[in-house]
Amino acid sequence: MDLHQFEIKILPLKNNIYRLAKALLGNATYAEDAVQDIYLKLWAQRDQIEKAENVRAFCLQLARNHCLDQLRILKRNDFQEITDDNFSSERSPYEQVEQQDLVDRIKQLMTLLPEQQRTVIHLRDVEDLEFDEIAQITGLTENAIKVNLSRARQRIRELINGKRI
């Protein structure tokens, strides 16, 4: 893979990689640093990228692995920020504030989830990946992904409704 192909195939994935890194590392600054490191690794592995069936999944798997390594090094497991969605301008300011409050609450509650559940819910609900792509990234079976996703969503619902931890 030459530089031109890399720019066409890999650089457009920057936002996906950044959001995943931000979700896993819990900090925008760490995520930005991670994206730079990940792109260096992707460039070094550009020959393996060409062999991959799903380039996006390959890149996100490498990003996930890098972030998990960083978490081990930093010994941090706080998941503070997920992608801030832009809310529809059709909503009233009051509805937009309510929606943002709910998103902030969900972000906070997601810090209580185990790493695997946080990863699966982020990849599915934030990144909107298919189960087979999540399986390639995480190494889990599709059934295990569905179980983790279900448990994560259920736990978030319980916490929102005020059930004790």
Side-chain angles (χ1 to χ4, degrees), residues 99-110:
Q99 187 68 34
Q100 186 60 50
D101 287 346
L102 179 60
V103 168
D104 292 342
R105 178 74 176 133
I106 290 171
K107 289 178 192 178
Q108 181 184 21
L109 295 174
M110 287 176 75

Side-chain angles (χ1 to χ4, degrees), residues 13-63:
L13 299 174
K14 181 180 180 184
N15 289 336
N16 298 91
I17 292 170
Y18 173 76
R19 286 192 304 265
L20 179 60
K22 188 175 175 185
L24 292 175
L25 297 174
N27 180 299
T29 304
Y30 291 146
E32 290 168 3
D33 291 342
V35 169
Q36 296 300 315
D37 294 340
I38 291 163
Y39 269 99
L40 289 172
K41 287 182 179 186
L42 287 169
W43 178 253
Q45 295 185 19
R46 62 189 178 273
D47 293 333
Q48 283 114 354
I49 294 172
E50 288 183 325
K51 297 173 187 173
E53 284 183 39
N54 186 327
V55 173
R56 181 179 177 195
F58 179 90
C59 294
L60 289 174
Q61 180 180 25
L62 189 140

Side-chain angles (χ1 to χ4, degrees), residues 23 26 77-84 100-114 118 152 155-156 159-160 165:
N77 273 326
D78 49 319
F79 181 84
Q80 304 261 336
E81 298 176 329
I82 61 173
T83 303
D84 291 324
Q100 186 60 50
D101 287 346
L102 179 60
V103 168
D104 292 342
R105 178 74 176 133
I106 290 171
K107 289 178 192 178
Q108 181 184 21
L109 295 174
M110 287 176 75
T111 63
L112 303 174
L113 296 175
R118 281 194 317 256
R155 188 68 183 135
I156 295 293
L159 292 168
I160 286 174
I165 300 172

Side-chain angles (χ1 to χ4, degrees), residues 45-130:
Q45 295 185 19
R46 62 189 178 273
D47 293 333
Q48 283 114 354
I49 294 172
E50 288 183 325
K51 297 173 187 173
E53 284 183 39
N54 186 327
V55 173
R56 181 179 177 195
F58 179 90
C59 294
L60 289 174
Q61 180 180 25
L62 189 140
R64 175 184 177 265
N65 291 342
H66 176 81
C67 291
L68 292 178
D69 289 344
Q70 291 301 308
L71 284 173
R72 285 184 199 103
I73 291 168
L74 298 171
K75 294 186 180 175
R76 0 176 344 140
N77 273 326
D78 49 319
F79 181 84
Q80 304 261 336
E81 298 176 329
I82 61 173
T83 303
D84 291 324
D85 294 327
N86 295 322
F87 299 109
S88 171
S89 59
E90 297 172 9
R91 294 183 181 176
S92 72
Y94 177 78
E95 290 172 322
Q96 289 179 10
V97 168
E98 275 190 342
Q99 187 68 34
Q100 186 60 50
D101 287 346
L102 179 60
V103 168
D104 292 342
R105 178 74 176 133
I106 290 171
K107 289 178 192 178
Q108 181 184 21
L109 295 174
M110 287 176 75
T111 63
L112 303 174
L113 296 175
E115 180 273 324
Q116 197 168 53
Q117 289 180 6
R118 281 194 317 256
T119 300
V120 169
I121 199 168
H122 176 82
L123 292 172
R124 181 67 179 166
D125 293 341
V126 177
E127 297 298 329
D128 199 31
L129 296 180
E130 298 297 325

